[in-house]
């Protein structure tokens, strides 16, 4: 059985992806700061599950989590780097603390996660799915700090791919999703332009079913109710 690691798995998109991967017969290693939510999720999944505390803004936490996963399973075939945070405001108004938090999680957290599992991924010719955003290649007023971390994440993914051709890297770029992101709560009408987490997870399922010699380098998807912007 193949092993998939999912970060930020306690709710929202990470939770939806974990459910799809369980249906696709992956064993799972789930990481998040909300361990109680991970425990509830593990009870719902019909597959072997390891879960543990993971704060991707800390190298010590990433190292400890990855060591436990590799010690238990021996190797990893798929890493879904989904953990992310968002704070918004004009660049001259956003706080130093909020900007640093986004850099630590969205950018350095992605780098730490991939770095920790890369030797095993190379050995198994595995796959990395880096969840970024549709704004990883555009900008908008009030989102400059957040956007800059997603542009950086896009650069990381592409450079990792160039340096490690034996691993497949996919940048998953969803538009607005109906989750808890940025302080909001799920339950927003689709007509407001939000994808459901399950819809994004289903798109990922389709890509993971492709033959191993097919490399999908990026996928951007948005609700038809979200205005197209490029």
């Amino acid at each position: 059985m193949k092993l998939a690691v999912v970060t930020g798995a306690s709710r929202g998109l990470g939770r939806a992806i974990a459910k799809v991967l369980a249906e696709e017969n992956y064993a799972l290693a789930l990481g998040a700061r909300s361990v109680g939510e991970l425990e509830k999720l593990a009870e719902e999944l019909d597959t072997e599950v390891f879960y543990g505390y993971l704060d991707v803004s800390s190298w010590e936490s990433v190292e400890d989590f990855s060591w436990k996963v590799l010690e238990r399973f021996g190797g990893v075939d798929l890493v879904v780097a989904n953990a992310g945070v968002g704070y918004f405001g004009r660049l001259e108004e956003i706080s130093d603390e909020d900007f640093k938090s986004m850099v630590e999680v969205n950018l350095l957290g992605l780098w730490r996660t991939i770095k920790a599992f890369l030797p095993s991924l190379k050995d198994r010719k595995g796959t990395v799915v880096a969840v970024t955003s549709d704004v990883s290649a555009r900008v908008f007023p009030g989102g400059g700090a957040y956007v800059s971390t997603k542009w950086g994440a896009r650069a990381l993914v592409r450079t990792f791919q160039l340096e490690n051709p034996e691993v497949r890297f996919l940048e998953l770029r969803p538009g607005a999703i109906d989750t808890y992101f940025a302080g909001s709560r799920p339950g927003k009408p689709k007509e407001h332009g939000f994808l459901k987490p399950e819809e994004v997870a289903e798109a990922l399922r389709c890509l993971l079913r492709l033959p191993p010699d097919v490399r999908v380098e990026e996928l951007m998807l948005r609700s038809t109710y979200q205005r197209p912007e490029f």
Side-chain angles (χ1 to χ4, degrees):
M1 180 178 287
K2 292 184 177 181
L3 173 71
V5 172
V6 183
T7 71
S10 60
R11 58 186 185 178
L13 180 57
R15 184 183 182 89
I17 288 175
K19 289 184 174 182
V20 161
L21 294 177
E23 293 169 359
E24 292 296 304
N25 297 315
Y26 282 88
L28 294 174
L30 308 177
R33 291 179 296 177
S34 303
V35 178
E37 293 300 316
L38 293 178
E39 182 179 11
K40 294 177 186 177
L41 174 59
E43 293 173 352
E44 299 176 19
L45 302 176
D46 185 20
T47 190
E48 182 178 1
V49 180
F50 165 84
Y51 62 88
Y53 178 83
L54 175 61
D55 177 1
V56 299
S57 70
S58 162
W59 170 245
E60 290 76 15
S61 181
V62 173
E63 188 175 43
D64 179 67
F65 178 79
S66 63
W67 183 87
K68 290 176 180 176
V69 170
L70 295 173
E71 178 73 12
R72 173 164 174 170
F73 294 97
V76 60
D77 302 280
L78 170 65
V79 171
V80 181
N82 169 69
V85 295
Y87 304 102
F88 299 90
R90 293 174 60 90
L91 283 173
E92 72 269 26
E93 296 172 353
I94 197 160
S95 72
D96 186 75
E97 180 182 4
D98 286 348
F99 204 154
K100 283 182 177 177
S101 177
M102 289 188 286
V103 171
E104 285 289 352
V105 175
N106 300 347
L107 186 57
L108 294 177
L110 173 63
W111 169 71
R112 293 181 186 109
T113 300
I114 297 173
K115 179 181 178 181
F117 290 105
L118 188 59
S120 180
L121 288 163
K122 293 174 72 170
D123 183 59
R124 295 200 180 192
K125 295 181 171 53
T127 300
V128 173
V129 177
V131 180
T132 62
S133 169
D134 67 323
V135 302
S136 71
R138 67 179 178 90
V139 298
F140 64 94
Y146 174 75
V147 166
S148 67
T149 65
K150 294 303 181 178
W151 280 59
R154 182 175 177 84
L156 277 181
V157 173
R158 293 191 169 198
T159 305
F160 266 122
Q161 182 65 85
L162 289 172
E163 294 176 346
N164 303 277
E166 61 271 61
V167 178
R168 296 186 298 174
F169 288 83
L170 163 65
E171 184 192 0
L172 183 59
R173 303 175 58 207
I177 308 176
D178 183 25
T179 67
Y180 289 92
F181 185 72
S184 65
R185 299 185 64 84
K188 296 175 282 293
K190 287 181 66 70
E191 290 76 15
H192 289 184
F194 290 87
L195 293 164
K196 299 300 180 183
E198 296 75 16
E199 294 169 333
V200 181
E202 283 299 322
L204 179 58
R205 187 204 301 268
C206 295
L207 298 185
L208 293 176
R209 287 182 172 182
L210 292 171
D213 60 342
V214 177
R215 184 178 67 241
V216 180
E217 297 172 353
E218 67 176 280
L219 172 66
M220 185 174 77
L221 64 162
R222 292 187 285 217
S223 166
T224 56
Y225 294 103
Q226 183 178 352
R227 185 175 65 183
E229 297 175 296
F230 304 98

